[in-house]
Amino acid sequence: KQEVTQIPAALSVPEGENLVLNCSFTDSAIYNLQWFRQDPGKGLTSLLLIQSSQREQTSGRLNASLDKSSGRSTLYIAASQPGDSATYLCAVTWGAQKLVFGQGTRLTINP
Amino acid sequence: DAGVTQSPTHLIKTRGQQVTLRCSPISGHKSVSWYQQVLGQGPQFIFQYYEKEERGRGNFPDRFSARQFPNYSSELNVNALLLGDSALYLCASSWTGQNEQFFGPGTRLTVL
C-alpha cells in the first residue's frame, strides 16, 4: 500500500532556528512530491514541487530534498519566523494522478 | 490571475440532506480534483476530472458524485448526508492532473 508518513505530528522551536521537517513514503516509484503549508481552517498553499528526477528544490528560506532510494523527503526552513507557524503537509503522486498526503506536522515558532 | 475559487465558504446541513459544492480552476487548467479533510488529518482523495472525464476515484461511497463542465469548473455532490461527512472539502486544479496542484480555500461543511 502506498502511504506517506510525517513525524513528528507537532514541533515547537524558538524564533531564528533552522529546522527540518520529515516525510517518508513506502514506494520509491514516485512521479513527484509536493510540500504544502496550511493555516488553521484554510486551504493548502503549494510551497515546493520536486519531480522524480530531481534531488532538491529551493524557494527563498525553504529547501526540499528528495531521496527516493530511502523513501524520504525533508523540508528545511532557515531562520524560522513566527509567521512560519502552520501545518506542513507532504504529498506524493505515484502512477495515478491523485495526491497521497501525510498527516502533517504542526509547526509553532515561538517569539 | 485569480487562483482556485470555491463556493460556498461554509455550509450547514442536516443528516439526510443533499449538498452541492462548486469549484472554478485556475484559468487554463483542465484538471480538477476533490479532497476531503477531516480535522487533524491529511486530505483524502475523492475524485479527479480531466477534460470532463473522470480520471480517478478514491475510496468513497456512491453518495459522492462529481462532474466537470465544458469551462472546466466542477461540482461535487453528496447525497444522504451523514454526520461523518462534516469536513473541509478542498478543490485542486492543475494543467493535466500530474503537474503541480493548486488548492482553493475550501468549503467547510457541517452536518448536524
Side-chain angles (χ1 to χ4, degrees), chain A residues 32-53:
Chain A
N32 60 39
L33 183 146
Q34 202 166 346
W35 282 94
F36 295 90
R37 167 190 172 131
Q38 186 174 33
D39 292 292
K42 304 295 185 183
L44 278 59
T45 300
S46 178
L47 298 174
L48 290 164
L49 171 73
I50 309 179
Q51 300 290 355
S52 175
S53 59

Side-chain angles (χ1 to χ4, degrees), chain B:
Chain B
D1 285 341
V4 179
T5 60
Q6 292 186 244
S7 64
T9 304
H10 295 90
L11 207 50
I12 299 175
K13 293 285 188 178
T14 57
R15 283 177 295 175
Q17 285 190 312
Q18 175 265 341
V19 67
T20 298
L21 310 181
R22 296 176 176 83
C23 171
S24 292
I26 291 171
S27 178
H29 285 189
K30 298 182 178 181
S31 177
V32 169
S33 300
W34 288 94
Y35 291 81
Q36 180 196 64
Q37 186 180 28
V38 299
L39 201 61
Q41 304 289 321
Q44 296 290 317
F45 173 75
I46 310 175
F47 285 109
Q48 186 181 85
Y49 279 78
Y50 175 69
E51 288 280 20
K52 303 176 287 292
E53 299 280 333
E54 182 183 302
R55 248 194 182 178
R57 183 185 182 116
N59 189 24
F60 280 81
D62 291 343
R63 299 184 296 107
F64 288 76
S65 64
R67 56 181 175 169
Q68 187 177 31
F69 298 99
N71 67 353
Y72 302 110
S73 67
S74 177
E75 286 183 352
L76 175 70
N77 295 287
V78 187
N79 293 322
L81 285 167
L82 304 174
L83 295 179
D85 295 331
S86 295
L88 181 67
Y89 287 84
L90 296 162
C91 172
S93 81
S94 66
W95 292 106
T96 66
Q98 287 189 307
N99 312 102
E100 186 173 5
Q101 304 272 330
F102 296 90
F103 281 78
T107 293
R108 171 70 63 187
L109 172 65
T110 301
V111 182
L112 302 176

Side-chain angles (χ1 to χ4, degrees), chain A residues 1-20:
Chain A
K1 186 180 179 183
Q2 293 166 333
E3 294 180 334
V4 178
T5 303
Q6 292 184 251
I7 296 173
L11 182 65
S12 181
V13 301
E15 180 179 2
E17 281 203 1
N18 302 323
L19 60 99
V20 173

